Amino acid sequence: MQLHISPSLRHVTVFPGKGVREFIKVKVGSRRLSYRMLFYSLLFFTFLLRFVFVLSTVDIIDGEHKCSGTIDCLGKKIGPRIFGRRIDPSTKVPEVIYQVLEEPMEKDALKGRTDIPQTLDEFMEEMSDSRVDAKTFALKLREMVTLLEQRTRTAKIQEYLYRHIASSSIPKQLHCLALRLADEHSTNAAARLQLPFPELVPALVDNSYFHFVLASDNVLAAAVVAKSLVKNALRPQKFVLHIITDRKTFSPMQAWFSLHPLSPAIIEVKALHHFDWLAKGKVPVLEAMEKDQTVRSQFRGGSSAIVAHNSEKPHVIASKLQALSPKYNSVMNHIRIHLPELFPSLNKIVFLDDDIVVQTDLSPLWDIDMNGKVNGAVETCRGEDKFVMSKRFKSYLNFSHPLIKRNFDPNECAWAYGMNIFDLQAWRKTNISLTYHYWVQENLKSDLSLWQLGTLPPGLIAFHGHVHVIDPFWHMLGLGYQENTSFAEAQNAGVVHFNGRAKPWLDIAFPQLRPLWTKYINFSDKFIKSCHIRAS
C-alpha cells in the first residue's frame, strides 16, 4: 500500500502486518520545504512521536518503566531500526490496546467533541495527570489520531479541489493573448495571410515531407510546440506542421503564425469546420462528446458534489475531479481518432500534444520500421521511475466491471499519447476508429463505469494489437505531475511531456521544469509583453 503524503515526504510504504502492528517506512524527497510540505511533514512526525509515546507509556501502565524518556531510551523501543536501535523483545504492548485501536469508529463519533486533546503535549499531560488503565489510554489515543486523520483528509481534499480549479481555468494572460491576436486579425492584413503561401500548398499532401499534426485551442502552447519542433530540426525545410484548432481560436492562431513565421518550415492552420470530411455530416466523436458532457455532468454532479462524498478516499476524489477537466471534453483531445479521414493523402504523420516540448530532430522517426503496426508509442509500464512508468491497463480501465474483465488483461502494458507515430496507410486497413467509438458508447451506456478519464482508455482498447513500441528517449512523461523529475534528466529526452495538471503555462507548474518550456518564448514580443506573460 502506498500513500503520497506530500512533495517533501514522497510516499509512505506500509509493510503487511496486523492492523496497528504494521511498521511504517518513510522516503523523504529532496525538494525545499514549502508551507504545505512542512504541514504534512509535521503531521507524520507527530504521528511518529505518538507511537513512541504509546510504547513508553505502556511500560508505565504495566509497571515496567525501566528507563527515562530520552531519545536513546525510546530508540530501544521502536524498531526494527528507528534511531539505529533494535526493538527490545521484552517490551510488549497489552493486547487490549490493539483491540481498541483496531475497532471501527462511527463516522460522526467525534462530531462536536471538545474533550479530545489537540496536541501531543495535551495528550501527555492528560495521561500523566490521571492513572488510566490500558483500555482508557487506547480509547483516548484512538480518538486523537482519528481526529488528526479527519483533518488531514479535509486538508488533502481542499488541496485537490484548489488544484482542480487552478488547472481548469484559463489564465487571464492566455485569454488576453487570444483577444489581442483576434483584434490584430481583424485590423491587420498581415495577420490574415494564407497559411501556407499558395506556392507551398502542394507540400501539404507530399509524402516526401515530414508531416506533423498538432490539435490545440491554446495559441501560446501551440507556438511553443511549433518553435521547439522547427528550431531542433536538422532539415526544417522538409517539415510540415498541420495545426488544427476550433472555430473560436482560428483567428488568433492564424494571426500568431502569420506574424511569427517559422520559415523554412511549412505551417498550415485550419479550423475543424474547414475540413470537408467533418463538414459533410455526422461525426461519431463529436456526437459522443455531446453525450459524454451530459452524462458526466449528471453522473458527477460537479466538483462540489464530488468533494461532499465523505466516505471516499482523497485519491479517489482527486481522480473524479480530474475527470471534470475541460480537456477531457475537448474536441482537440478526441479528434486524433479521425486522422486517416482528416488527412486522406498522407501515409504517415507524427501527432503532437500541445503540452509537449521538442528537444531534438524528429525526422529519424520516419526511419523506424513499424512492422505493419499503426501506432508507434512509448510504453509506460517499464522504467526506473515507478510513479510515472508503472501504468498498465488496470491503471485506466475498471476491471471490476464484467465487460472489461471479460475482454482485457489488467496487467497488459499501457502506452502514452502525446508523441505518436501513426501509419495512416496501415490504419485505413483496420477497424480501429469503429472500435474506439463502440467502446466510447458502451462507457456512456454504463454511466462512465468502464473508465473515467478521456481518450487514452478507449485508445488502449482500440489500438490493442496495433502498437509498435518505440524507445523511451522519444517521449518523456510526467512533467505535469511528477515534480521529482530533475531538470538535467528531462534535458536529455527527445520530447518532454507536461502531462498532468501542472501545465507549464499555469502558476502551479513546477518551477524547476518550467524553463524547458519558457526557453521557446520570446518575452520581448509585443503581444507577450502586453499580456504580462512572464518567465516565472
Side-chain angles (χ1 to χ4, degrees):
M1 169 179 169
Q2 196 177 77
L3 170 64
H4 183 71
I5 293 182
S6 79
S8 179
L9 293 175
R10 290 176 56 191
H11 64 267
V12 175
T13 304
V14 182
F15 296 92
K18 181 181 178 183
V20 295
R21 294 175 176 84
E22 296 174 340
F23 173 72
I24 300 177
K25 178 183 176 184
V26 178
K27 284 190 176 181
V28 181
S30 60
R31 276 181 51 76
R32 61 187 178 85
L33 215 57
S34 67
Y35 290 117
R36 181 169 60 84
M37 298 175 199
L38 180 61
F39 173 70
Y40 287 113
S41 302
L42 290 175
L43 287 180
F44 169 73
F45 286 112
T46 300
F47 175 81
L48 180 60
L49 288 173
R50 287 177 183 146
F51 184 66
V52 172
F53 182 66
V54 169
L55 293 179
S56 59
T57 308
V58 164
D59 281 348
I60 299 174
I61 295 172
D62 284 352
E64 298 179 0
H65 185 56
K66 298 177 181 177
C67 63
S68 65
T70 64
I71 293 296
D72 183 68
C73 173
L74 296 178
K76 297 176 183 178
K77 300 180 184 298
I78 305 174
R81 277 291 182 184
I82 297 181
F83 304 135
R85 300 298 185 98
R86 290 191 174 277
I87 191 168
D88 183 350
S90 65
T91 303
K92 296 182 179 179
V93 178
E95 188 66 26
V96 64
I97 290 184
Y98 291 129
Q99 292 173 354
V100 170
L101 292 178
E102 291 175 347
E103 287 177 1
M105 180 175 285
E106 293 183 9
K107 182 177 63 174
D108 297 326
L110 304 181
K111 192 173 183 179
R113 293 276 300 276
T114 58
D115 60 328
I116 301 173
Q118 302 294 303
T119 66
L120 181 61
D121 288 340
E122 289 182 15
F123 180 77
M124 294 174 66
E125 183 179 357
E126 184 173 332
M127 293 299 100
S128 301
D129 290 345
S130 56
R131 300 290 296 178
V132 298
D133 57 19
K135 183 175 182 179
T136 303
F137 171 86
L139 286 169
K140 186 63 70 173
L141 178 63
R142 184 180 68 161
E143 291 174 349
M144 184 174 178
V145 172
T146 301
L147 183 63
L148 173 65
E149 288 175 344
Q150 290 176 353
R151 289 177 175 174
T152 302
R153 179 184 182 278
T154 300
K156 197 68 179 174
I157 290 173
Q158 284 298 112
E159 176 195 346
Y160 286 138
L161 179 60
Y162 294 151
R163 291 183 72 83
H164 165 69
I165 294 171
S167 64
S168 301
S169 305
I170 301 175
K172 62 181 181 180
Q173 294 91 337
L174 297 190
H175 187 60
C176 166
L177 181 63
L179 291 177
R180 286 293 311 273
L181 289 168
D183 180 66
E184 193 75 13
H185 186 272
S186 65
T187 59
N188 183 358
R192 297 192 298 272
L193 296 177
Q194 178 182 337
L195 295 175
F197 294 141
E199 61 270 21
L200 297 175
V201 168
L204 300 179
V205 293
D206 187 340
N207 283 293
S208 68
Y209 285 77
F210 303 112
H211 292 268
F212 300 86
V213 177
L214 167 66
S216 178
D217 58 1
N218 183 330
V219 176
L220 188 61
V224 169
V225 174
K227 188 172 182 178
S228 66
L229 172 69
V230 175
K231 185 175 180 179
N232 289 289
L234 295 180
R235 291 181 290 166
Q237 69 276 10
K238 297 295 290 184
F239 276 37
V240 179
L241 176 59
H242 306 265
I243 299 175
I244 305 173
T245 191
D246 55 19
R247 188 186 295 267
K248 68 178 175 57
T249 315
F250 173 71
S251 296
M253 193 77 77
Q254 185 185 35
W256 177 269
F257 286 100
S258 294
L259 299 173
H260 302 83
L262 292 171
S263 300
I266 299 169
I267 308 294
E268 177 190 32
V269 178
K270 291 181 74 173
L272 286 171
H273 64 280
H274 294 151
F275 288 90
D276 293 338
W277 179 80
L278 284 172
K280 285 179 180 177
K282 294 182 178 180
V283 180
V285 72
L286 300 181
E287 292 182 326
M289 282 179 54
E290 292 177 4
K291 294 179 182 177
D292 182 70
Q293 288 177 323
T294 302
V295 173
R296 196 174 294 274
S297 62
Q298 293 174 349
F299 182 63
R300 295 294 175 216
S303 58
S304 59
I306 292 173
V307 172
H309 282 284
N310 295 324
S311 60
E312 290 184 321
K313 295 180 179 180
H315 76 272
V316 175
I317 289 176
S319 68
K320 289 187 175 182
L321 286 172
Q322 189 175 356
L324 292 179
S325 174
K327 80 169 189 173
Y328 294 119
N329 291 322
S330 169
V331 66
M332 296 298 107
N333 205 34
H334 286 266
I335 203 64
R336 74 188 84 197
I337 201 61
H338 290 303
L339 287 171
E341 294 89 353
L342 294 175
F343 298 96
S345 300
L346 298 183
N347 298 334
K348 182 182 287 188
I349 62 100
V350 168
F351 189 88
L352 304 173
D353 277 356
D354 66 0
D355 53 355
I356 64 103
V357 175
V358 179
Q359 302 185 131
T360 191
D361 176 41
L362 295 188
S363 59
L365 294 175
W366 268 258
D367 297 328
I368 295 175
D369 184 358
M370 300 274 284
N371 296 314
K373 302 294 186 181
V374 174
N375 179 5
V378 168
E379 283 187 321
T380 55
C381 68
R382 299 180 181 87
E384 295 180 1
D385 189 343
K386 299 301 181 184
F387 186 53
V388 175
M389 304 299 285
S390 61
K391 309 297 185 184
R392 298 183 181 272
F393 272 39
K394 61 186 177 183
S395 305
Y396 300 99
L397 302 176
N398 177 19
F399 278 88
S400 64
H401 195 289
L403 189 59
I404 295 294
K405 186 176 182 180
R406 187 166 59 245
N407 287 280
F408 306 104
D409 178 3
N411 293 313
E412 180 138 4
C413 192
W415 46 267
Y417 269 147
M419 200 295 302
N420 300 84
I421 311 165
F422 288 120
D423 186 332
L424 300 184
Q425 284 184 306
W427 190 338
R428 295 183 185 105
K429 300 174 184 178
T430 71
N431 60 352
I432 287 173
S433 299
L434 292 176
T435 302
Y436 182 95
H437 292 302
Y438 169 80
W439 282 97
V440 167
Q441 292 295 337
E442 288 299 310
N443 193 37
L444 292 171
K445 290 177 185 177
S446 68
D447 285 336
L448 309 182
S449 61
L450 304 186
W451 65 81
Q452 291 184 356
L453 305 180
T455 58
L456 183 55
L460 293 174
I461 294 173
F463 286 100
H464 187 252
H466 298 286
V467 177
H468 176 75
V469 178
I470 63 176
D471 193 293
F473 163 80
W474 294 110
H475 189 184
M476 183 179 187
L477 297 151
L479 276 69
Y481 66 88
Q482 171 59 299
E483 61 187 313
N484 293 308
T485 302
S486 70
F487 181 84
E489 184 183 9
Q491 272 188 314
N492 293 325
V495 172
V496 290
H497 192 176
F498 288 84
N499 58 313
R501 289 177 174 169
K503 301 300 184 189
W505 53 83
L506 298 176
D507 290 338
I508 59 174
F510 302 129
Q512 80 277 16
L513 299 176
R514 196 167 186 258
L516 294 167
W517 186 79
T518 56
K519 68 183 289 186
Y520 293 102
I521 299 176
N522 176 11
F523 291 97
S524 64
D525 179 86
K526 69 174 185 177
F527 295 103
I528 299 296
K529 286 181 66 176
S530 66
C531 289
H532 306 288
I533 298 173
R534 300 183 176 89
S536 60

